[in-house]
Amino acid sequence: MSRTTEMSRTGEMSGRTEPAVVIVPGLRDHVEEHWQTRLGARLAEAGRTVRTVPPLTQDRLSRRAQVASLDKVISEIAGPVVLVAHSAGVITTVHWAQGHEAQVRGALLVTPPDFEKPLPEGYPTPEVLDAHGWTPVPRSPLPFPSIVAASSNDPLGPLDRVAELTRNWAGRLVELGEVGHLNPAAGYGPWPDAEELLRELEQS
């Protein structure tokens, strides 16, 4: 089954329709060992509807193209959704929220990068990101509840900058400690806390 097709049926939770889970990766290709991939598989096995925004094969650095890809996935879902975004996927989600509407119950936004400051060597420069529409990063309150999970030693997004963004977005900050960028390069693989934070978000 394609990762961009519906993976399971919609269930019921607490007397209301259980939202579909939309996984919003960063700018990477599909990574089997990434915690988002594993989370999606576990939720689908448990009977949840799970959709993943596919990696782009063209215009990968285009913010407009990334937002359009997310919007396409959401538009194909009948009913409420909850978003699970990581890295640049967080910035995609925030840009999407400025100009689109859907039944979003909430968003789990994990280790957003700071696109307005220089990133480590090998990543796009602020000038390149600006040219592709990523900056300025929206600062408006999000129109749905959000939990922002932040690392204290993320090389892409310092904690103080992520805390500032969380306040701007009217979200709730959860500090994870020293987890790097919370990706396989930082030793994650499985991240069981994701399911707990997702439950908290859905029950808020």
Side-chain angles (χ1 to χ4, degrees):
M1 178 181 294
S2 167
R3 290 189 297 273
T4 62
T5 59
E6 193 170 76
M7 297 175 67
S8 63
R9 66 185 182 280
T10 300
E12 295 293 325
M13 180 180 67
S14 304
R16 62 176 183 171
T17 301
E18 197 170 32
V21 178
V22 175
I23 306 288
V24 192
L27 300 179
R28 65 182 187 273
D29 290 323
H30 177 76
V31 179
E32 286 291 344
E33 63 269 25
H34 197 282
W35 66 264
Q36 282 183 308
T37 308
R38 297 189 176 200
L39 173 67
R42 286 196 303 272
L43 292 174
E45 290 172 1
R48 296 293 298 267
T49 297
V50 180
R51 299 289 302 276
T52 297
V53 179
L56 296 180
T57 57
Q58 295 181 339
D59 299 325
R60 181 172 299 190
L61 268 184
S62 167
R63 186 269 303 170
R64 185 184 299 273
Q66 294 287 347
V67 168
S69 185
L70 170 58
D71 190 57
K72 182 177 185 297
V73 170
I74 293 175
S75 68
E76 293 171 350
I77 298 171
V81 301
V82 62
L83 308 174
V84 179
H86 176 251
S87 191
V90 174
I91 311 303
T92 297
T93 298
V94 174
H95 276 288
W96 173 87
Q98 305 307 302
H100 301 84
E101 293 184 1
Q103 298 181 58
V104 179
R105 291 264 179 89
L108 175 59
L109 308 174
V110 182
T111 58
D114 185 358
F115 276 175
E116 295 174 345
K117 299 289 185 179
L119 298 172
E121 185 177 354
Y123 288 90
T125 65
E127 293 76 18
V128 168
L129 291 168
D130 182 65
H132 286 83
W134 292 98
T135 56
V137 174
R139 294 297 205 278
S140 303
L142 295 173
F144 41 75
S146 64
I147 293 175
V148 181
S151 168
S152 62
N153 65 340
D154 187 348
L156 304 187
L159 181 58
D160 60 340
R161 294 282 292 180
V162 174
E164 178 185 345
L165 288 171
T166 302
R167 290 191 293 271
N168 295 153
W169 298 335
R172 178 165 73 87
L173 181 68
V174 174
E175 296 185 25
L176 303 176
E178 297 183 353
V179 298
H181 195 52
L182 201 68
N183 57 5
Y188 300 84
W191 182 43
D193 289 352
E195 292 181 69
E196 180 180 344
L197 291 173
L198 186 58
R199 283 194 295 269
E200 290 182 22
L201 185 65
E202 292 177 331
Q203 293 168 6
S204 63

